[in-house]
Amino acid sequence: MPGKQKTGKGKEEINKVKKHKGNVSGTGMEKIKSLRKNAVFRFCIYAEVILSTILGSFLCGMDYIGILKNTAVSITGAMVFVYYYGLKGGRMLKAVSSPFIFLISFAISNLLVALTGITDIGTIWIVAVAVIAVREGMGHAVSCHLLLMLQYLILSADARKNTEIIIFYAILGILLALVVSEVKKRRLFLYAAVIFISLTLVILMVLNGLSLEQAWKCRNFLFRCIAGDTVLLAVSWVTYCIKRKSAKAQRDSYNEKTLINLADPGHELMQRIKQYSEALYIHSVRTGELSGKVAEFAGYNKNLAMAGGFYHEAGRIYGDEDYKEACRHIAKEYGFPVQLEDIIKQHGDSILNPKTPEAIVVMLSEGIIAADEYFERTGKRAQIPDERLVKSIFNGRMGRGILDNSGINKEQEEKFMEFYINNAFKEKA
């Protein structure tokens, strides 16, 4: 016996060592991926900066010595930039949600900066600031703008002639980052456009001694700036819409995975309901399964309807606690998607009418199952035909006006009733 115990301990130690090695291996792989990501990011920044500097210098007609000088200055700026993003284990780089979009927008701005050596393109060259401000926030946008400003100083013919133009773009880029990074709703982009274009005009007037006459003299530049501002704000708006759509798709994907997990009678919460009350568990399973069938038949979200049926009375496991508060607690504890949480709230509040098709399905299914169980307990179920029971529930809901704004027309109501009559009580047959 002692020998066996020693063998058992030996196996435990071996398992611990294997587990430790697995953790170390996993950590090592994560570090390698992080280092690789950091290296690719650095390489791309250096490549974009150097290539745009060479191109811009060449377009300006500089000789090889001038090109080398400009490239050396650009590399110095890029070194500071990548050093900043590499601090604290690459914390700043890890915070970038999409390095690919970051690098693409930065490359476009670098190319446009290179073109400023031969032509005035207004404010459009700070397009990367607009994109990065929306996607990553003001901090990332400002750091990007500082490096672009260095490129602009080196390559722009206007910058070499006029110090005021440097101040103008330096301030404008930071204001652009501030304005668009704070816009959280699409309709607010109109206000952002008014604010940003107004600020452009104000800055130009200040730099020209607050004289409208002086500002008018440089109207060609002013018009180019306003046109550029319009493009920048349009790009910001498109970037915001894409980001919002992407976030919604990710959220929906996460919600669907969560619902699939919750729409399982073996889920931990369902087991807690079973431990609390066998009758409540059976009622919840019947309601959930029926809701899922009806939702699938109607083309609604089956998992959402099923989960809504399973947990429509889950708050009861907290006993005498306020039902609404108990439902909120349950939703938070198990990470219910908002749509599911709304179904539970609507069921627990007699004032609230169902707001989604799935909520209507859960309400009808629960009413039919509850009526069936009541008449079974009172011994009257055999005297009531299935059709009469289902129609009584529908007529009761319609009498209270609950289905008036549901989007379900009379023809659909008839199909729903027929489906319930034929399927609601099959498991009892």
Side-chain angles (χ1 to χ4, degrees), residues 384-395:
I384 302 173
D386 294 347
E387 183 176 353
R388 180 181 164 189
L389 189 152
V390 170
K391 286 186 176 181
S392 69
I393 297 299
F394 268 81
N395 291 333

Side-chain angles (χ1 to χ4, degrees), residues 181-363:
S181 64
E182 293 302 317
V183 177
K184 305 301 179 187
K185 295 181 180 179
R186 274 189 295 188
R187 67 174 182 270
L188 296 179
F189 269 98
L190 180 60
Y191 298 104
V194 173
I195 291 169
F196 186 61
I197 292 173
S198 300
L199 287 171
T200 302
L201 296 174
V202 169
I203 296 168
L204 281 172
M205 288 179 65
V206 170
L207 292 174
N208 285 281
L210 296 175
S211 169
L212 287 172
E213 184 179 349
Q214 291 285 33
W216 181 248
K217 285 180 180 179
C218 59
R219 59 185 177 276
N220 290 332
F221 175 73
L222 177 63
F223 292 151
R224 282 194 296 272
C225 287
I226 293 174
D229 287 355
T230 304
V231 172
L232 292 174
L233 290 161
V235 169
S236 300
W237 183 78
V238 171
T239 303
Y240 176 82
C241 292
I242 293 172
K243 179 184 176 183
R244 187 176 178 182
K245 187 176 181 180
S246 176
K248 184 179 182 300
Q250 289 178 354
R251 187 169 59 251
D252 290 346
S253 176
Y254 168 78
N255 287 346
E256 193 58 34
K257 288 177 183 176
T258 304
L259 288 171
I260 291 171
N261 187 33
L262 287 166
D264 180 359
H267 191 274
E268 176 191 344
L269 181 53
M270 286 299 289
Q271 297 311 305
R272 286 179 66 182
I273 293 172
K274 188 174 185 179
Q275 290 173 5
Y276 171 77
S277 167
E278 185 73 27
L280 178 60
Y281 174 77
I282 293 171
H283 171 79
S284 299
V285 170
R286 288 187 67 195
T287 303
E289 291 181 346
L290 179 58
S291 298
K293 288 178 184 177
V294 177
E296 188 175 31
F297 163 75
Y300 303 149
N301 189 319
K302 176 183 176 181
N303 292 314
L304 176 58
M306 187 177 291
F310 281 165
Y311 307 114
H312 68 282
E313 293 188 355
R316 297 194 185 282
I317 65 176
Y318 285 99
D320 297 330
E321 188 176 338
D322 176 68
Y323 187 81
K324 291 181 186 178
E325 186 60 36
C327 287
R328 278 193 288 269
H329 184 78
I330 287 284
K332 185 177 180 181
E333 184 180 358
Y334 286 92
F336 281 9
V338 176
Q339 305 96 313
L340 178 57
E341 189 174 355
D342 286 343
I343 291 177
I344 309 303
K345 285 179 183 176
Q346 290 157 31
H347 176 81
D349 193 331
S350 58
I351 300 174
L352 297 175
N353 287 340
K355 296 178 181 178
T356 62
E358 292 82 6
I360 293 166
V361 166
V362 172
M363 178 198 68

Side-chain angles (χ1 to χ4, degrees), residues 22-23 53 75 100 112 130 148 160 195 226 276 319-320 361 396 417:
N23 291 336
T53 303
I75 290 173
F100 178 75
L112 292 172
L148 287 172
R160 290 192 293 273
I195 291 169
I226 293 174
Y276 171 77
D320 297 330
V361 166
M417 278 196 287

